[in-house]
Amino acid sequence: MESLYYVLTYACHRKCRHCYDTRFRPYVRDELKAVVGEGTANFKRIIANLPDRMTYLDPAHPNPDGTPSERVGRLIMAGGELLLDPVRETLFYPALEAAREKYGSRGVRLSMQTTGDIVTPRMLDELRERGIWMIAIASLDDYHVGMEGDKRIIFVEKLTSMLEAAGFNAVPDPASGRDHLTEDGPFYVFFGAQPGKWIAELWPRGRAWEDGLSSADMKTNFCARWSGGKNFLNHGWAGAEVSIEPNGDVFPCCLKTKLPIGNLTEERLVDILDSLKGHPVFEALNAGEPWRMGESLGWSSEAFHAAAHTTTPQGKPYANLCIGCDRFHEERLGPVIAAIREKRRALIQTAD
C-alpha cells in the first residue's frame, strides 16, 4: 500500500483541546501500564498481517514506457506520543524493529509522528539506527499549549538545529524538482492544524467535538481528502491508506468510522480489503462520496444529508458529512460488516 497509519498507543503527555480522540491523554501507574500493554501485546500480530510487500503503483509517475512506476510505501507510526519513556523502549522501538524484519531495510518507508517537545539528540540517533525515514512534528498550531503564534518560532529553530545535527534533512520543496518519496532520507517535516491546511477545519471527533472547535460544514468532505476514505480499497495503487488502532482494529480513514472494518490481530489486511471490494457501501467510501453509502440499503442521499445535521455540545447547529456517516454506521451498517466478516472467516476455515 502507499500508506498505513498505525496508532501504537493512546498514551500522551498532552491533552490537547482539539484532539480527535479523547483517549489520547496522560495516563499514570496501572492505567499507563495497561494502555502501553495493549499496544505491546498486539503489535507483532498486527505487523505480521500487514501486506507482504509495502509497494504501490503510481500512474502519476510513469516509467519511460508509460507504465506506472513502482514505489515504496510508508508505514506511519503514531501515538499518543511514541517517545515517552514507558512507550519508546517497550513498544515503539520493538515495533520499528519488527517492521524492518518483515520488510527489510529498504522495503518500507518508516515514518513517525511526534509533538517534538521531548525529542533529544540521543533519541534521534536511536531512530536513525532503527531506520526511520521521516519524523513528522505534528504540533505547529495554536491549539498546542506553548506553540501559540510566535512561540513556535523558537521551538522550530531549536528542533531544526537538533534534527539537522543528527543527519535529518527538511523535506525538499517540490518546486526544486526533487521527489522525496523516491529518496532514502532521513527527513523531517513540521505541520499542524493551521489555517489553509488539510485538517484546518478539525474533524468532528473527540475533544475537538466536545469543545465545539470544528468549523467543517456540509461542503467540507474529509472523505475525499488524504487520510479520508477515498481509495482505501485500492491496495497496490497510489492513494490507498488505512488507519490501525492499538488493538488491531482497521478503519478506512484516520477520522475513524463508527465501526471498524476488521481487526489485524485476527486477519490479514489484504483479505479484509478484498472482501469489501464491489460492495456498494464501501465502494462509495472508496470514491470519497459517503452520501452514496446507503443507496443499496434504503438510505437515499437525501436521507444521508438529513442525518448529517446535528447540534454541538454547546447547543449550536452543526452539519458535516462525517456526522451522516456516523449515523449510517450506527443504524444500518453493523450487521453488514458482521456478515462480511463471517463470510471471510468461513472461507479461511474452508481453505484450512
Side-chain angles (χ1 to χ4, degrees), residues 113-161:
Q113 287 188 2
T114 174
T115 58
D117 54 357
I118 63 172
V119 171
T120 67
R122 178 182 174 182
M123 290 178 190
L124 295 178
D125 290 341
E126 291 170 345
L127 290 170
R128 286 207 63 179
E129 291 170 2
R130 289 165 174 79
I132 278 289
W133 171 74
M134 181 182 289
I135 296 178
I137 298 92
S139 59
L140 254 63
D141 54 58
D142 290 335
Y143 297 108
H144 283 87
V145 175
M147 302 292 179
E148 304 91 342
D150 291 343
K151 295 179 182 178
R152 292 195 288 273
I153 297 175
I154 297 175
F155 170 77
V156 170
E157 290 176 347
K158 179 181 178 181
L159 191 51
T160 295
S161 177

mmCIF file of all heavy atoms in Angstrom, residues 113-161:
data_model
loop_
_atom_site.group_PDB
_atom_site.id
_atom_site.type_symbol
_atom_site.label_atom_id
_atom_site.label_comp_id
_atom_site.label_asym_id
_atom_site.label_seq_id
_atom_site.Cartn_x
_atom_site.Cartn_y
_atom_site.Cartn_z
ATOM 1 N N GLN A 113 5.215 10.115 13.901
ATOM 2 C CA GLN A 113 4.719 11.421 14.308
ATOM 3 C C GLN A 113 5.028 11.640 15.782
ATOM 4 O O GLN A 113 4.938 10.729 16.597
ATOM 5 C CB GLN A 113 3.216 11.537 14.065
ATOM 6 C CG GLN A 113 2.850 11.676 12.601
ATOM 7 C CD GLN A 113 1.383 11.973 12.392
ATOM 8 O OE1 GLN A 113 0.623 12.124 13.332
ATOM 9 N NE2 GLN A 113 0.969 12.053 11.148
ATOM 10 N N THR A 114 5.373 12.878 16.110
ATOM 11 C CA THR A 114 5.677 13.257 17.479
ATOM 12 C C THR A 114 5.316 14.721 17.681
ATOM 13 O O THR A 114 5.269 15.488 16.714
ATOM 14 C CB THR A 114 7.174 13.041 17.794
ATOM 15 O OG1 THR A 114 7.467 13.552 19.102
ATOM 16 C CG2 THR A 114 8.057 13.752 16.785
ATOM 17 N N THR A 115 5.062 15.094 18.915
ATOM 18 C CA THR A 115 4.857 16.518 19.195
ATOM 19 C C THR A 115 6.177 17.274 19.123
ATOM 20 O O THR A 115 6.193 18.491 18.954
ATOM 21 C CB THR A 115 4.249 16.723 20.597
ATOM 22 O OG1 THR A 115 5.122 16.132 21.572
ATOM 23 C CG2 THR A 115 2.868 16.104 20.682
ATOM 24 N N GLY A 116 7.285 16.564 19.292
ATOM 25 C CA GLY A 116 8.597 17.160 19.138
ATOM 26 C C GLY A 116 9.182 17.790 20.380
ATOM 27 O O GLY A 116 10.380 18.084 20.421
ATOM 28 N N ASP A 117 8.368 17.988 21.405
ATOM 29 C CA ASP A 117 8.856 18.747 22.556
ATOM 30 C C ASP A 117 9.608 17.906 23.574
ATOM 31 O O ASP A 117 10.118 18.443 24.567
ATOM 32 C CB ASP A 117 7.715 19.513 23.233
ATOM 33 C CG ASP A 117 6.541 18.632 23.612
ATOM 34 O OD1 ASP A 117 6.580 17.429 23.311
ATOM 35 O OD2 ASP A 117 5.584 19.150 24.213
ATOM 36 N N ILE A 118 9.704 16.593 23.364
ATOM 37 C CA ILE A 118 10.526 15.784 24.262
ATOM 38 C C ILE A 118 11.665 15.099 23.499
ATOM 39 O O ILE A 118 12.356 14.235 24.048
ATOM 40 C CB ILE A 118 9.687 14.739 25.029
ATOM 41 C CG1 ILE A 118 9.040 13.728 24.075
ATOM 42 C CG2 ILE A 118 8.628 15.418 25.888
ATOM 43 C CD1 ILE A 118 8.379 12.578 24.819
ATOM 44 N N VAL A 119 11.870 15.487 22.259
ATOM 45 C CA VAL A 119 12.939 14.914 21.449
ATOM 46 C C VAL A 119 14.301 15.295 22.031
ATOM 47 O O VAL A 119 14.511 16.435 22.465
ATOM 48 C CB VAL A 119 12.838 15.404 19.993
ATOM 49 C CG1 VAL A 119 14.067 14.993 19.190
ATOM 50 C CG2 VAL A 119 11.585 14.852 19.336
ATOM 51 N N THR A 120 15.228 14.339 22.026
ATOM 52 C CA THR A 120 16.608 14.592 22.442
ATOM 53 C C THR A 120 17.549 14.104 21.348
ATOM 54 O O THR A 120 17.172 13.258 20.516
ATOM 55 C CB THR A 120 16.947 13.861 23.749
ATOM 56 O OG1 THR A 120 16.932 12.438 23.506
ATOM 57 C CG2 THR A 120 15.959 14.208 24.854
ATOM 58 N N PRO A 121 18.802 14.604 21.328
ATOM 59 C CA PRO A 121 19.773 14.099 20.347
ATOM 60 C C PRO A 121 19.952 12.588 20.425
ATOM 61 O O PRO A 121 20.092 11.921 19.388
ATOM 62 C CB PRO A 121 21.062 14.842 20.726
ATOM 63 C CG PRO A 121 20.584 16.130 21.328
ATOM 64 C CD PRO A 121 19.350 15.749 22.096
ATOM 65 N N ARG A 122 19.941 12.035 21.623
ATOM 66 C CA ARG A 122 20.098 10.588 21.755
ATOM 67 C C ARG A 122 18.939 9.850 21.082
ATOM 68 O O ARG A 122 19.152 8.843 20.389
ATOM 69 C CB ARG A 122 20.171 10.202 23.230
ATOM 70 C CG ARG A 122 20.285 8.699 23.449
ATOM 71 C CD ARG A 122 20.309 8.343 24.932
ATOM 72 N NE ARG A 122 20.278 6.901 25.136
ATOM 73 C CZ ARG A 122 20.259 6.304 26.312
ATOM 74 N NH1 ARG A 122 20.261 7.035 27.426
ATOM 75 N NH2 ARG A 122 20.216 4.995 26.407
ATOM 76 N N MET A 123 17.725 10.339 21.274
ATOM 77 C CA MET A 123 16.575 9.703 20.622
ATOM 78 C C MET A 123 16.719 9.739 19.101
ATOM 79 O O MET A 123 16.406 8.760 18.411
ATOM 80 C CB MET A 123 15.284 10.414 21.025
ATOM 81 C CG MET A 123 14.861 10.201 22.459
ATOM 82 S SD MET A 123 13.350 11.162 22.808
ATOM 83 C CE MET A 123 13.253 10.988 24.586
ATOM 84 N N LEU A 124 17.183 10.850 18.565
ATOM 85 C CA LEU A 124 17.344 10.966 17.118
ATOM 86 C C LEU A 124 18.372 9.961 16.607
ATOM 87 O O LEU A 124 18.179 9.347 15.548
ATOM 88 C CB LEU A 124 17.743 12.388 16.743
ATOM 89 C CG LEU A 124 16.694 13.465 17.031
ATOM 90 C CD1 LEU A 124 17.233 14.841 16.670
ATOM 91 C CD2 LEU A 124 15.395 13.190 16.277
ATOM 92 N N ASP A 125 19.440 9.773 17.345
ATOM 93 C CA ASP A 125 20.437 8.756 16.962
ATOM 94 C C ASP A 125 19.814 7.365 16.994
ATOM 95 O O ASP A 125 20.046 6.546 16.088
ATOM 96 C CB ASP A 125 21.637 8.806 17.909
ATOM 97 C CG ASP A 125 22.485 10.051 17.724
ATOM 98 O OD1 ASP A 125 22.375 10.702 16.660
ATOM 99 O OD2 ASP A 125 23.253 10.383 18.646
ATOM 100 N N GLU A 126 19.015 7.099 18.014
ATOM 101 C CA GLU A 126 18.379 5.783 18.127
ATOM 102 C C GLU A 126 17.375 5.554 17.001
ATOM 103 O O GLU A 126 17.242 4.429 16.491
ATOM 104 C CB GLU A 126 17.690 5.668 19.490
ATOM 105 C CG GLU A 126 18.670 5.606 20.663
ATOM 106 C CD GLU A 126 18.004 5.727 22.016
ATOM 107 O OE1 GLU A 126 16.824 6.147 22.073
ATOM 108 O OE2 GLU A 126 18.658 5.398 23.029
ATOM 109 N N LEU A 127 16.687 6.600 16.585
ATOM 110 C CA LEU A 127 15.726 6.478 15.493
ATOM 111 C C LEU A 127 16.437 6.213 14.172
ATOM 112 O O LEU A 127 15.988 5.383 13.369
ATOM 113 C CB LEU A 127 14.877 7.745 15.404
ATOM 114 C CG LEU A 127 13.894 7.943 16.558
ATOM 115 C CD1 LEU A 127 13.288 9.338 16.516
ATOM 116 C CD2 LEU A 127 12.794 6.891 16.518
ATOM 117 N N ARG A 128 17.541 6.881 13.939
ATOM 118 C CA ARG A 128 18.310 6.630 12.714
ATOM 119 C C ARG A 128 18.834 5.200 12.705
ATOM 120 O O ARG A 128 18.820 4.534 11.654
ATOM 121 C CB ARG A 128 19.467 7.615 12.597
ATOM 122 C CG ARG A 128 19.037 9.026 12.205
ATOM 123 C CD ARG A 128 20.148 9.758 11.494
ATOM 124 N NE ARG A 128 20.489 9.107 10.237
ATOM 125 C CZ ARG A 128 21.420 9.545 9.389
ATOM 126 N NH1 ARG A 128 22.114 10.633 9.690
ATOM 127 N NH2 ARG A 128 21.686 8.921 8.274
ATOM 128 N N GLU A 129 19.296 4.719 13.845
ATOM 129 C CA GLU A 129 19.796 3.344 13.931
ATOM 130 C C GLU A 129 18.705 2.338 13.575
ATOM 131 O O GLU A 129 19.010 1.249 13.060
ATOM 132 C CB GLU A 129 20.310 3.057 15.342
ATOM 133 C CG GLU A 129 21.584 3.799 15.715
ATOM 134 C CD GLU A 129 21.909 3.680 17.197
ATOM 135 O OE1 GLU A 129 21.151 2.971 17.913
ATOM 136 O OE2 GLU A 129 22.894 4.288 17.642
ATOM 137 N N ARG A 130 17.454 2.694 13.837
ATOM 138 C CA ARG A 130 16.334 1.787 13.577
ATOM 139 C C ARG A 130 15.647 2.068 12.247
ATOM 140 O O ARG A 130 14.574 1.548 11.981
ATOM 141 C CB ARG A 130 15.338 1.862 14.743
ATOM 142 C CG ARG A 130 15.889 1.209 16.000
ATOM 143 C CD ARG A 130 15.099 1.573 17.240
ATOM 144 N NE ARG A 130 15.571 0.825 18.410
ATOM 145 C CZ ARG A 130 16.670 1.135 19.106
ATOM 146 N NH1 ARG A 130 17.379 2.201 18.763
ATOM 147 N NH2 ARG A 130 17.043 0.407 20.140
ATOM 148 N N GLY A 131 16.267 2.873 11.422
ATOM 149 C CA GLY A 131 15.810 3.027 10.040
ATOM 150 C C GLY A 131 14.685 4.006 9.809
ATOM 151 O O GLY A 131 13.993 3.916 8.780
ATOM 152 N N ILE A 132 14.477 4.966 10.716
ATOM 153 C CA ILE A 132 13.421 5.953 10.491
ATOM 154 C C ILE A 132 13.716 6.762 9.226
ATOM 155 O O ILE A 132 14.823 7.264 9.036
ATOM 156 C CB ILE A 132 13.287 6.894 11.708
ATOM 157 C CG1 ILE A 132 12.430 6.234 12.782
ATOM 158 C CG2 ILE A 132 12.644 8.221 11.316
ATOM 159 C CD1 ILE A 132 10.949 6.122 12.440
ATOM 160 N N TRP A 133 12.721 6.865 8.374
ATOM 161 C CA TRP A 133 12.839 7.602 7.114
ATOM 162 C C TRP A 133 12.364 9.046 7.268
ATOM 163 O O TRP A 133 12.910 9.950 6.645
ATOM 164 C CB TRP A 133 12.017 6.889 6.044
ATOM 165 C CG TRP A 133 11.865 7.621 4.751
ATOM 166 C CD1 TRP A 133 12.815 7.792 3.784
ATOM 167 C CD2 TRP A 133 10.678 8.253 4.263
ATOM 168 N NE1 TRP A 133 12.300 8.499 2.729
ATOM 169 C CE2 TRP A 133 10.992 8.791 3.003
ATOM 170 C CE3 TRP A 133 9.382 8.403 4.774
ATOM 171 C CZ2 TRP A 133 10.046 9.482 2.240
ATOM 172 C CZ3 TRP A 133 8.454 9.088 4.015
ATOM 173 C CH2 TRP A 133 8.789 9.625 2.770
ATOM 174 N N MET A 134 11.339 9.259 8.103
ATOM 175 C CA MET A 134 10.826 10.611 8.301
ATOM 176 C C MET A 134 10.289 10.795 9.708
ATOM 177 O O MET A 134 9.631 9.900 10.246
ATOM 178 C CB MET A 134 9.721 10.961 7.307
ATOM 179 C CG MET A 134 9.180 12.388 7.472
ATOM 180 S SD MET A 134 7.833 12.790 6.346
ATOM 181 C CE MET A 134 8.747 12.889 4.806
ATOM 182 N N ILE A 135 10.566 11.961 10.261
ATOM 183 C CA ILE A 135 9.955 12.396 11.506
ATOM 184 C C ILE A 135 9.021 13.552 11.186
ATOM 185 O O ILE A 135 9.449 14.562 10.620
ATOM 186 C CB ILE A 135 11.016 12.854 12.530
ATOM 187 C CG1 ILE A 135 11.910 11.684 12.927
ATOM 188 C CG2 ILE A 135 10.342 13.442 13.763
ATOM 189 C CD1 ILE A 135 13.017 12.072 13.890
ATOM 190 N N ALA A 136 7.754 13.399 11.523
ATOM 191 C CA ALA A 136 6.769 14.460 11.322
ATOM 192 C C ALA A 136 6.434 15.078 12.672
ATOM 193 O O ALA A 136 5.945 14.382 13.562
ATOM 194 C CB ALA A 136 5.510 13.907 10.662
ATOM 195 N N ILE A 137 6.732 16.351 12.814
ATOM 196 C CA ILE A 137 6.449 17.057 14.066
ATOM 197 C C ILE A 137 5.064 17.680 13.932
ATOM 198 O O ILE A 137 4.861 18.645 13.199
ATOM 199 C CB ILE A 137 7.509 18.113 14.382
ATOM 200 C CG1 ILE A 137 8.873 17.447 14.558
ATOM 201 C CG2 ILE A 137 7.146 18.867 15.650
ATOM 202 C CD1 ILE A 137 9.705 17.380 13.303
ATOM 203 N N ALA A 138 4.093 17.087 14.630
ATOM 204 C CA ALA A 138 2.680 17.405 14.418
ATOM 205 C C ALA A 138 2.126 18.283 15.537
ATOM 206 O O ALA A 138 1.173 17.919 16.205
ATOM 207 C CB ALA A 138 1.875 16.115 14.318
ATOM 208 N N SER A 139 2.754 19.449 15.741
ATOM 209 C CA SER A 139 2.287 20.287 16.851
ATOM 210 C C SER A 139 2.283 21.773 16.520
ATOM 211 O O SER A 139 2.153 22.599 17.411
ATOM 212 C CB SER A 139 3.176 20.053 18.082
ATOM 213 O OG SER A 139 4.532 20.365 17.794
ATOM 214 N N LEU A 140 2.425 22.097 15.237
ATOM 215 C CA LEU A 140 2.567 23.505 14.879
ATOM 216 C C LEU A 140 1.216 24.174 14.628
ATOM 217 O O LEU A 140 0.800 24.364 13.475
ATOM 218 C CB LEU A 140 3.462 23.653 13.640
ATOM 219 C CG LEU A 140 4.859 24.196 13.963
ATOM 220 C CD1 LEU A 140 5.588 23.226 14.859
ATOM 221 C CD2 LEU A 140 5.645 24.477 12.715
ATOM 222 N N ASP A 141 0.535 24.504 15.709
ATOM 223 C CA ASP A 141 -0.711 25.246 15.596
ATOM 224 C C ASP A 141 -1.021 25.862 16.953
ATOM 225 O O ASP A 141 -0.392 25.553 17.963
ATOM 226 C CB ASP A 141 -1.861 24.340 15.132
ATOM 227 C CG ASP A 141 -2.027 23.098 16.000
ATOM 228 O OD1 ASP A 141 -2.229 23.251 17.220
ATOM 229 O OD2 ASP A 141 -1.949 21.985 15.465
ATOM 230 N N ASP A 142 -1.999 26.749 16.963
ATOM 231 C CA ASP A 142 -2.332 27.484 18.183
ATOM 232 C C ASP A 142 -3.052 26.630 19.219
ATOM 233 O O ASP A 142 -3.239 27.071 20.358
ATOM 234 C CB ASP A 142 -3.206 28.700 17.840
ATOM 235 C CG ASP A 142 -2.430 29.769 17.091
ATOM 236 O OD1 ASP A 142 -1.195 29.816 17.247
ATOM 237 O OD2 ASP A 142 -3.043 30.555 16.348
ATOM 238 N N TYR A 143 -3.463 25.425 18.847
ATOM 239 C CA TYR A 143 -4.164 24.560 19.790
ATOM 240 C C TYR A 143 -3.211 23.883 20.763
ATOM 241 O O TYR A 143 -3.618 23.454 21.836
ATOM 242 C CB TYR A 143 -4.952 23.479 19.040
ATOM 243 C CG TYR A 143 -6.037 24.029 18.147
ATOM 244 C CD1 TYR A 143 -5.896 23.999 16.767
ATOM 245 C CD2 TYR A 143 -7.196 24.571 18.681
ATOM 246 C CE1 TYR A 143 -6.896 24.502 15.935
ATOM 247 C CE2 TYR A 143 -8.202 25.075 17.864
ATOM 248 C CZ TYR A 143 -8.037 25.029 16.488
ATOM 249 O OH TYR A 143 -9.021 25.519 15.685
ATOM 250 N N HIS A 144 -1.943 23.738 20.386
ATOM 251 C CA HIS A 144 -0.965 23.113 21.260
ATOM 252 C C HIS A 144 -0.416 24.150 22.234
ATOM 253 O O HIS A 144 0.149 25.162 21.808
ATOM 254 C CB HIS A 144 0.186 22.510 20.444
ATOM 255 C CG HIS A 144 -0.158 21.218 19.781
ATOM 256 N ND1 HIS A 144 -0.756 21.152 18.540
ATOM 257 C CD2 HIS A 144 0.016 19.924 20.185
ATOM 258 C CE1 HIS A 144 -0.935 19.891 18.203
ATOM 259 N NE2 HIS A 144 -0.480 19.123 19.194
ATOM 260 N N VAL A 145 -0.585 23.889 23.507
ATOM 261 C CA VAL A 145 -0.110 24.820 24.525
ATOM 262 C C VAL A 145 1.396 25.020 24.377
ATOM 263 O O VAL A 145 2.161 24.058 24.271
ATOM 264 C CB VAL A 145 -0.443 24.300 25.942
ATOM 265 C CG1 VAL A 145 0.159 25.219 26.999
ATOM 266 C CG2 VAL A 145 -1.952 24.186 26.118
ATOM 267 N N GLY A 146 1.804 26.276 24.353
ATOM 268 C CA GLY A 146 3.211 26.596 24.193
ATOM 269 C C GLY A 146 3.632 26.795 22.758
ATOM 270 O O GLY A 146 4.782 27.163 22.491
ATOM 271 N N MET A 147 2.716 26.549 21.812
ATOM 272 C CA MET A 147 3.030 26.705 20.390
ATOM 273 C C MET A 147 2.245 27.846 19.749
ATOM 274 O O MET A 147 2.224 27.981 18.530
ATOM 275 C CB MET A 147 2.711 25.400 19.632
ATOM 276 C CG MET A 147 3.437 24.190 20.155
ATOM 277 S SD MET A 147 5.202 24.258 19.850
ATOM 278 C CE MET A 147 5.715 22.716 20.597
ATOM 279 N N GLU A 148 1.604 28.646 20.561
ATOM 280 C CA GLU A 148 0.751 29.700 20.026
ATOM 281 C C GLU A 148 1.583 30.805 19.366
ATOM 282 O O GLU A 148 2.564 31.288 19.924
ATOM 283 C CB GLU A 148 -0.110 30.322 21.131
ATOM 284 C CG GLU A 148 -0.969 29.333 21.908
ATOM 285 C CD GLU A 148 -0.259 28.783 23.136
ATOM 286 O OE1 GLU A 148 0.989 28.889 23.194
ATOM 287 O OE2 GLU A 148 -0.943 28.254 24.021
ATOM 288 N N GLY A 149 1.161 31.183 18.164
ATOM 289 C CA GLY A 149 1.763 32.327 17.487
ATOM 290 C C GLY A 149 3.274 32.245 17.364
ATOM 291 O O GLY A 149 3.841 31.238 16.927
ATOM 292 N N ASP A 150 3.947 33.315 17.784
ATOM 293 C CA ASP A 150 5.398 33.412 17.636
ATOM 294 C C ASP A 150 6.159 32.452 18.533
ATOM 295 O O ASP A 150 7.373 32.262 18.356
ATOM 296 C CB ASP A 150 5.862 34.849 17.924
ATOM 297 C CG ASP A 150 5.418 35.833 16.851
ATOM 298 O OD1 ASP A 150 5.041 35.362 15.755
ATOM 299 O OD2 ASP A 150 5.445 37.049 17.100
ATOM 300 N N LYS A 151 5.490 31.853 19.505
ATOM 301 C CA LYS A 151 6.167 30.873 20.361
ATOM 302 C C LYS A 151 6.704 29.704 19.534
ATOM 303 O O LYS A 151 7.667 29.034 19.937
ATOM 304 C CB LYS A 151 5.218 30.355 21.435
ATOM 305 C CG LYS A 151 4.764 31.392 22.454
ATOM 306 C CD LYS A 151 3.820 30.769 23.460
ATOM 307 C CE LYS A 151 3.302 31.793 24.463
ATOM 308 N NZ LYS A 151 2.347 31.192 25.419
ATOM 309 N N ARG A 152 6.071 29.452 18.400
ATOM 310 C CA ARG A 152 6.506 28.336 17.556
ATOM 311 C C ARG A 152 7.875 28.593 16.936
ATOM 312 O O ARG A 152 8.593 27.652 16.607
ATOM 313 C CB ARG A 152 5.479 28.077 16.441
ATOM 314 C CG ARG A 152 4.154 27.555 16.923
ATOM 315 C CD ARG A 152 3.347 26.976 15.782
ATOM 316 N NE ARG A 152 2.819 27.975 14.875
ATOM 317 C CZ ARG A 152 1.666 28.603 15.046
ATOM 318 N NH1 ARG A 152 0.930 28.341 16.122
ATOM 319 N NH2 ARG A 152 1.224 29.473 14.166
ATOM 320 N N ILE A 153 8.214 29.847 16.733
ATOM 321 C CA ILE A 153 9.447 30.176 16.017
ATOM 322 C C ILE A 153 10.668 29.628 16.753
ATOM 323 O O ILE A 153 11.531 28.959 16.163
ATOM 324 C CB ILE A 153 9.569 31.701 15.813
ATOM 325 C CG1 ILE A 153 8.418 32.201 14.927
ATOM 326 C CG2 ILE A 153 10.923 32.042 15.193
ATOM 327 C CD1 ILE A 153 8.383 33.705 14.775
ATOM 328 N N ILE A 154 10.751 29.890 18.053
ATOM 329 C CA ILE A 154 11.884 29.411 18.843
ATOM 330 C C ILE A 154 11.913 27.890 18.870
ATOM 331 O O ILE A 154 12.972 27.265 18.735
ATOM 332 C CB ILE A 154 11.812 29.983 20.270
ATOM 333 C CG1 ILE A 154 11.922 31.511 20.240
ATOM 334 C CG2 ILE A 154 12.902 29.381 21.145
ATOM 335 C CD1 ILE A 154 11.732 32.166 21.593
ATOM 336 N N PHE A 155 10.735 27.276 19.039
ATOM 337 C CA PHE A 155 10.640 25.821 19.062
ATOM 338 C C PHE A 155 11.148 25.224 17.753
ATOM 339 O O PHE A 155 11.956 24.277 17.753
ATOM 340 C CB PHE A 155 9.186 25.408 19.306
ATOM 341 C CG PHE A 155 8.910 23.942 19.112
ATOM 342 C CD1 PHE A 155 9.278 23.014 20.071
ATOM 343 C CD2 PHE A 155 8.285 23.486 17.960
ATOM 344 C CE1 PHE A 155 9.024 21.661 19.897
ATOM 345 C CE2 PHE A 155 8.030 22.141 17.772
ATOM 346 C CZ PHE A 155 8.396 21.230 18.743
ATOM 347 N N VAL A 156 10.697 25.756 16.627
ATOM 348 C CA VAL A 156 11.092 25.237 15.320
ATOM 349 C C VAL A 156 12.589 25.404 15.105
ATOM 350 O O VAL A 156 13.273 24.493 14.613
ATOM 351 C CB VAL A 156 10.292 25.923 14.194
ATOM 352 C CG1 VAL A 156 10.867 25.573 12.828
ATOM 353 C CG2 VAL A 156 8.822 25.517 14.265
ATOM 354 N N GLU A 157 13.124 26.556 15.465
ATOM 355 C CA GLU A 157 14.553 26.797 15.275
ATOM 356 C C GLU A 157 15.396 25.828 16.092
ATOM 357 O O GLU A 157 16.366 25.251 15.595
ATOM 358 C CB GLU A 157 14.888 28.243 15.641
ATOM 359 C CG GLU A 157 14.347 29.271 14.662
ATOM 360 C CD GLU A 157 14.627 30.693 15.109
ATOM 361 O OE1 GLU A 157 15.021 30.885 16.281
ATOM 362 O OE2 GLU A 157 14.449 31.628 14.293
ATOM 363 N N LYS A 158 15.014 25.629 17.348
ATOM 364 C CA LYS A 158 15.770 24.735 18.220
ATOM 365 C C LYS A 158 15.708 23.298 17.728
ATOM 366 O O LYS A 158 16.737 22.598 17.655
ATOM 367 C CB LYS A 158 15.231 24.823 19.655
ATOM 368 C CG LYS A 158 15.937 23.903 20.637
ATOM 369 C CD LYS A 158 15.331 24.038 22.041
ATOM 370 C CE LYS A 158 15.995 23.083 23.022
ATOM 371 N NZ LYS A 158 15.400 23.185 24.382
ATOM 372 N N LEU A 159 14.505 22.836 17.378
ATOM 373 C CA LEU A 159 14.353 21.454 16.951
ATOM 374 C C LEU A 159 14.981 21.225 15.579
ATOM 375 O O LEU A 159 15.571 20.167 15.321
ATOM 376 C CB LEU A 159 12.872 21.066 16.939
ATOM 377 C CG LEU A 159 12.565 19.577 16.756
ATOM 378 C CD1 LEU A 159 13.356 18.715 17.733
ATOM 379 C CD2 LEU A 159 11.072 19.318 16.933
ATOM 380 N N THR A 160 14.886 22.209 14.693
ATOM 381 C CA THR A 160 15.521 22.085 13.378
ATOM 382 C C THR A 160 17.027 21.900 13.523
ATOM 383 O O THR A 160 17.637 21.053 12.854
ATOM 384 C CB THR A 160 15.220 23.326 12.522
ATOM 385 O OG1 THR A 160 13.819 23.389 12.256
ATOM 386 C CG2 THR A 160 15.970 23.262 11.191
ATOM 387 N N SER A 161 17.622 22.682 14.396
ATOM 388 C CA SER A 161 19.059 22.564 14.632
ATOM 389 C C SER A 161 19.413 21.173 15.137
ATOM 390 O O SER A 161 20.396 20.558 14.695
ATOM 391 C CB SER A 161 19.503 23.629 15.637
ATOM 392 O OG SER A 161 20.867 23.499 15.939
#
